Amino acid sequence: MSVKLISSNKCFEGEQRIYSHFSNVLGCEMKFGLFMPPAVLEDNITCPVLYYLSGLTCTHENFIHKSGMQQYASKYGLIVVNPDTSPRNLNIPGEDDSYDFGTGAGFYINAKKEPWAKNYQMFSYVTDELVQLINQNFPVVPTKKGIFGHSMGGHGALICALKNPGLYQSISAFAPIANPVECPWGQKAFKGYLGDDQELWKEWDATYLATKYSGNPLELFIDQGCDDNFLKEKQLLPENLLQAAACNDHLQTIYKERVGYDHSYYYIASYVGEHIAYHAKLLN
Amino acid sequence: MSVKLISSNKCFEGEQRIYSHFSNVLGCEMKFGLFMPPAVLEDNITCPVLYYLSGLTCTHENFIHKSGMQQYASKYGLIVVNPDTSPRNLNIPGEDDSYDFGTGAGFYINAKKEPWAKNYQMFSYVTDELVQLINQNFPVVPTKKGIFGHSMGGHGALICALKNPGLYQSISAFAPIANPVECPWGQKAFKGYLGDDQELWKEWDATYLATKYSGNPLELFIDQGCDDNFLKEKQLLPENLLQAAACNDHLQTIYKERVGYDHSYYYIASYVGEHIAYHAKLLN
């Protein structure tokens, strides 16, 4: 598996790069961002890698441009990789019809229903193909991986970890869609990608997965803005996830509420430093 | 003069706001960004204001989204105001024909040539109308104003200060178009906005203004990425400005070169903290 460098810009003494590659799992060309910290560039060492999953409508660019994460990845010596949010340019009928389904809205699950099942395998892409690609092509320590994300991507980070005990050593989420089976965004996506079998939906829902999780002890750092409109509209439902985790001895949660903050990248930018410090502590 | 609040997002304990207002000087509706630091929100005090002028093609949004400046404005207690780069939606023939003239490319000068002279009065807008608007509507200390900018806006900041001794107490520029009379970008813009009289051009050129400046002693902090393609293409010419300032006892320059950095917001994000600390030191 090879990667093609699209761009590289020096940033906080490291390099913010964008790569593309052909994904066999997704059947299309994909782009991802990769921040290379100065520790790696200057000292030719290996370092942990932190994956970030973006929310609805995002490409690989939003997080790179708006979060300001490079400052902290540079400081703590982490490679940060952020993939796109769905396959692209497949010409599947309806793929561009709405902001919350199809392009930009892959939900980090593996679709079962046609015409999506062939390509919309974002879970396998993120947890398997992309990890292999990064391990093969970049100076990472394969046993030191963290994952975090925002909204749809916050949920993505949670299910990637809950369905793969031991794969990630640190997990956090900004304003995750914590219980998609119970909210409009999740119901639309799961019905579209998985079909009508709601038992199947539960296999991709962080709250249900937290109920039955029995792997190695896991800590989930959940972050939530208190003035988040989607929280008020009951799209996020973090209380359901916290409740499920509280009843499971294998799970521990850290829950932070941020007074006055909304669902935007202004919120993420304000706390991404705290999250990266958290991951660095667990990964180093 | 009144302003209309378009949006407000909590960010680093302050608020990143966007306002619009009708500009009498420009004859159109204009938007600007305003970051309100927590010191003002919590303690109901007044504070210095730092103006930022953006480069070619930018709107009021680029700096807000990509620079990460809110972190430092919050820390140092500065209101940061960033206007748009030109009048908008005037339907002047040709206004949208190129990226480096017309819309998004006002160059912070006062046009003399029709059809631009009526509206393209960005210098008066930035140094007079906008300053009055901010002084009237926000809790600023009117005698504590800084100005900085990037590329076209770096030059804008320099001419605003050099043509108005005493108006600003701190001045800095990222990769300014330092001698527009001698570079393709400047020659195109000045010919278009000012006509063929090159003596008139010099009144809007930071290097010529630095030669003849005789106001109160002024320090100019100039920042430049060494891997900036526009530096290599001789669009920026900082050496000419530094030379002019070196021969003028009323001026002093701080010049910083950043090895490996280009012309992008990745570069600005990496050093905006240093610039804001510099302004805060002079303004507080």
Side-chain angles (χ1 to χ4, degrees), chain A residues 75 90 112 141 196 208 231 241 254:
Chain A
K75 176 178 176 183
L90 294 168
K112 286 268 187 182
V141 183
D196 292 326
Y208 281 95
L231 179 70
L241 172 64
I254 299 172

Side-chain angles (χ1 to χ4, degrees), chain A residues 55-101:
Chain A
L56 288 167
T57 77
C58 289
T59 68
H60 62 287
E61 288 195 325
N62 305 64
F63 180 64
I64 295 172
H65 288 162
K66 293 185 173 181
S67 73
M69 62 86 178
Q70 294 88 354
Q71 176 181 0
Y72 310 102
S74 175
K75 176 178 176 183
Y76 292 106
L78 300 179
I79 289 178
V80 178
V81 174
N82 62 302
D84 205 344
T85 51
S86 75
R88 299 269 166 188
N89 306 312
L90 294 168
N91 295 315
I92 298 175
E95 71 183 8
D96 296 329
D97 286 359
S98 54
Y99 79 96
D100 54 3
F101 189 77

Side-chain angles (χ1 to χ4, degrees), chain A residues 38-46 139:
Chain A
V40 173
L41 295 170
E42 290 161 12
D43 302 332
N44 209 19
I45 59 171
T46 58

Side-chain angles (χ1 to χ4, degrees), chain A residues 8-14 16 18 64-68 70-72 258-262 264-267 269-271, chain B residues 8-14 16 18 64-68 70-72 258-262 264-267 269-271:
Chain A
S8 180
N9 298 82
K10 191 165 180 180
C11 189
F12 285 99
E13 296 298 301
Q16 179 60 59
I18 294 172
I64 295 172
H65 288 162
K66 293 185 173 181
S67 73
Q70 294 88 354
Q71 176 181 0
Y72 310 102
R258 314 297 187 175
V259 175
Y261 287 86
D262 59 24
S264 70
Y265 267 92
Y266 295 113
Y267 153 62
S270 303
Y271 292 103
Chain B
S8 180
N9 298 81
K10 192 164 178 181
C11 189
F12 286 98
E13 296 298 299
Q16 179 60 58
I18 295 172
I64 296 172
H65 289 162
K66 294 185 172 181
S67 73
Q70 294 90 355
Q71 176 181 359
Y72 311 101
R258 314 297 188 175
V259 175
Y261 287 87
D262 59 23
S264 70
Y265 266 92
Y266 295 113
Y267 153 62
S270 303
Y271 292 102

